[in-house]
Amino acid sequence: MNKVILKKHFRDRLEERFGYSVSDVMSVDRESVFVWTKKNLNKCSNMMIKKKLVNRCENTFMVENTKLNVIICGNKSNGYTFINTIIPRFNLPKF
């Protein structure tokens, strides 16, 4: 199992912009949390996620939490999982 590293930018944004604690965001509800990578991107209906992930490397992922309306961005590298930042969830119209 990978070791998870929460970047400072993630912690700062989580508290400042959303008022959530780490445990609030890291709890997984299978019905409201989706993990998106380049491999399953064709099933994603959120155009913002598609646009951001399409040009990223294979190690990058986004976790969409529809219950909290946030998206967590991260990547995997050398046995570690880095949680980099958190952004608001918007579902942009399809083109």
Side-chain angles (χ1 to χ4, degrees):
M1 181 170 200
N2 287 353
K3 296 179 184 178
V4 177
I5 297 176
L6 301 176
K7 297 286 202 143
K8 183 180 182 323
H9 190 66
F10 170 77
R11 289 182 187 271
D12 291 347
R13 277 192 154 192
L14 182 63
E15 187 177 322
E16 284 174 13
R17 295 188 178 177
F18 301 100
Y20 294 133
S21 69
V22 172
S23 61
D24 291 338
V25 176
M26 293 300 178
S27 62
V28 176
D29 176 9
R30 291 182 187 200
E31 293 165 8
S32 64
V33 175
F34 306 95
V35 178
W36 301 111
T37 64
K38 279 185 131 176
K39 293 178 183 176
N40 67 351
L41 199 55
N42 60 337
K43 297 176 184 175
C44 181
S45 62
N46 191 316
M47 289 304 291
M48 181 188 70
I49 292 174
K50 282 186 170 186
K51 285 182 178 182
K52 287 188 178 278
L53 276 181
V54 76
N55 294 325
R56 302 280 172 98
C57 65
E58 296 292 324
N59 305 1
T60 305
F61 64 88
M62 292 184 146
V63 179
E64 181 180 25
N65 189 325
T66 58
K67 188 176 181 182
L68 298 176
N69 281 323
V70 296
I71 298 172
I72 298 170
C73 308
N75 66 300
K76 290 183 167 189
S77 179
N78 299 328
Y80 291 94
T81 299
F82 296 93
I83 306 297
N84 301 323
T85 192
I86 186 167
I87 57 177
R89 179 182 168 267
F90 297 110
N91 198 4
L92 300 176
K94 295 179 183 178
F95 295 102

